[in-house]
Amino acid sequence: MSEKLLSICVAAYNSEQYIEKMLGSVLNASSIDDIEIVVVNDGSSDNTAGIIKRYVNMYPDIIVGINQDNKGSGGAWNNAFKNATGKYIKTIDSDDMVNTENLDLYVARLRSIDSDMIINPHYTEYTYKKKSILTNNLGIAEGEYNIAAFLPYEDISMHDVTYRNSPDILGQLEFMEHVSYGDMEYLTIPIKNIKSIYYVDIPVYIYKIGIEGQSISPLISIKKNDQRIAIANKIINYRNINRHSNDAYKWVNNQVVRMLKCVVLDYCNSGSYAYKNDIKKYDLLIKDMDQDLYKIMNEDKIIRLLRITDYNYYYCIILAKKIKNAIF
């Protein structure tokens, strides 16, 4: 296999309905000779392994297929990253895809970039609405920046980030196995090693919302709150024992706070009056875990009102949503 510019790493579990469309969106790029696809079958029980094998046989110079026992997306990404050989590395979920034409433009831009990290917008596709919107178009000029320039943009996601594939950047990134929300590890663990970030105004990733079983749905996310806490604890401990610049420290805090606030919003979007005590317990757990994060979260109006009212404001939120749904 010739040297590649970009390694696209894919964690696949029971993805027989989606993975061919995802692979096709990459393989149809005219820049495919510069791309390597490393796809890990994470112990699927459907025909995902068979589909991957067929594509490896069809594209042996492009696709690296790996089978492993089930370890969750984190374990699959660990395996993919260890086998990726491209100059740059990016992840794609097996039920998402890329904009093929924009991928070509992006690869062309990568040829002239030599930064540690690249940030670019993505598309969010709401499958149930059949609607796609541009997400995280930062409105800044293309070019190279430092971390401080991106601190105001707290919603930057895994879909927006590409890293230089170097031990100096990714050497300490080891995803937790059997845990969701590894995107937070991806966004935070390497950041202390980042010296340059290039912003490219080309949306590539198409993130699909509304697929059955996604961990993003509120009721599923609530069941995985312990996983979010585990991820947060890991990141905080890593932040505390490894020297970070002030800007890298702020970046880590912003990302962890964003994840923790999502838990509160999931409770508020559940449609159930039953979770008031759960929110209170969760919030006090954050306070015990890290005082700085607890204080930062208080800047959010909803969380501040919840705390001021001993979390009784939660009932107002649920009632307002029920009235809105009844009217509209």
Side-chain angles (χ1 to χ4, degrees):
M1 184 179 291
S2 59
E3 185 176 343
K4 302 292 184 176
L5 179 62
L6 176 64
S7 291
I8 293 177
C9 295
V10 183
Y13 176 72
N14 287 353
S15 302
E16 63 179 6
Q17 296 182 61
Y18 315 109
I19 193 167
E20 290 192 80
K21 190 170 184 179
M22 183 279 297
L23 290 171
S25 70
V26 179
L27 291 167
N28 288 331
S30 60
S31 57
I32 191 60
D33 289 341
D34 288 322
I35 299 172
E36 167 189 67
I37 305 172
V38 184
V39 55
V40 178
N41 170 44
D42 186 39
S44 299
S45 58
D46 64 2
N47 192 39
T48 298
I51 294 171
I52 294 171
K53 182 178 180 180
R54 174 159 53 86
Y55 273 81
V56 169
N57 290 336
M58 292 167 60
Y59 302 95
D61 295 328
I62 297 170
I63 301 178
V64 177
I66 301 168
N67 289 307
Q68 67 175 32
D69 293 335
N70 182 262
K71 297 179 180 180
S73 57
W77 280 328
N78 286 334
N79 209 342
F81 278 36
K82 289 173 184 175
N83 286 276
T85 63
K87 177 181 177 181
Y88 289 104
I89 196 165
K90 186 173 184 65
T91 64
I92 297 181
D93 288 338
S94 57
D95 53 2
D96 292 329
M97 56 189 298
V98 300
N99 180 298
T100 306
E101 292 182 4
N102 285 0
L103 177 60
D104 284 329
L105 296 174
Y106 184 68
V107 170
R109 197 64 52 84
L110 283 182
R111 295 189 187 109
S112 62
I113 293 174
D114 194 38
S115 300
D116 295 334
M117 179 178 178
I118 298 96
I119 294 176
N120 65 305
H122 69 274
Y123 294 108
T124 300
E125 182 177 292
Y126 297 89
T127 56
Y128 53 94
K129 295 181 180 179
K130 297 183 179 179
K131 177 182 178 182
S132 181
I133 62 171
L134 182 62
T135 307
N136 286 344
N137 183 0
L138 304 186
I140 61 176
E142 289 198 4
E144 193 167 81
Y145 297 85
N146 55 25
I147 296 172
F150 295 95
L151 290 177
Y153 307 102
E154 297 180 4
D155 291 332
I156 291 171
S157 72
M158 189 178 200
H159 315 316
D160 307 319
V161 172
T162 301
Y163 286 116
R164 184 197 302 276
N165 185 14
S166 163
D168 293 338
I169 305 297
L170 301 176
Q172 293 171 297
L173 176 60
E174 184 78 14
F175 294 96
M176 295 178 69
E177 296 181 357
H178 299 294
V179 174
S180 300
Y181 313 109
D183 55 322
M184 286 294 109
E185 297 170 275
Y186 182 82
L187 289 169
T188 56
I189 300 300
I191 200 68
K192 76 178 185 66
N193 304 318
I194 300 299
K195 295 180 175 61
S196 57
I197 304 175
Y198 203 99
Y199 179 69
V200 176
D201 194 17
I202 302 172
V204 175
Y205 198 110
I206 301 175
Y207 172 46
K208 296 187 176 184
I209 293 180
I211 295 174
E212 184 178 355
Q214 276 185 319
S215 59
I216 192 173
S217 66
L219 293 178
I220 293 176
S221 295
I222 286 170
K223 294 177 182 178
K224 295 185 176 183
N225 282 345
D226 58 332
Q227 297 183 22
R228 278 171 161 156
I229 291 295
I231 291 284
N233 270 316
K234 173 188 173 178
I235 294 170
I236 291 166
N237 289 336
Y238 182 82
R239 180 205 66 188
N240 290 342
I241 64 176
N242 290 276
R243 183 177 178 83
H244 285 62
S245 68
N246 287 338
D247 290 333
Y249 189 92
K250 291 176 183 177
W251 171 282
V252 171
N253 284 352
N254 287 347
Q255 294 296 331
V256 176
V257 164
R258 178 163 65 95
M259 178 180 67
L260 296 177
K261 285 197 297 187
C262 282
V263 176
V264 177
L265 295 177
D266 284 338
Y267 281 124
C268 293
N269 289 323
S270 67
S272 170
Y273 289 110
Y275 291 119
K276 177 206 162 183
N277 290 333
D278 295 271
I279 290 182
K280 183 174 183 178
K281 180 180 177 182
Y282 174 79
D283 197 34
L284 294 176
L285 184 63
I286 295 170
K287 186 176 183 180
D288 290 339
M289 182 170 59
D290 192 274
Q291 287 283 337
D292 287 344
L293 297 182
Y294 183 81
K295 291 176 182 177
I296 295 171
M297 287 181 68
N298 205 54
E299 297 172 6
D300 183 276
K301 182 179 179 180
I302 291 176
I303 292 174
R304 189 163 63 250
L305 286 170
L306 285 167
R307 290 171 176 173
I308 290 172
T309 62
D310 194 30
Y311 306 92
N312 287 308
Y313 181 64
Y314 170 73
Y315 297 126
C316 298
I317 296 173
I318 298 298
L319 178 60
K321 288 184 178 295
K322 287 183 178 293
I323 293 173
K324 181 180 178 181
N325 291 337
I327 295 174
F328 299 103

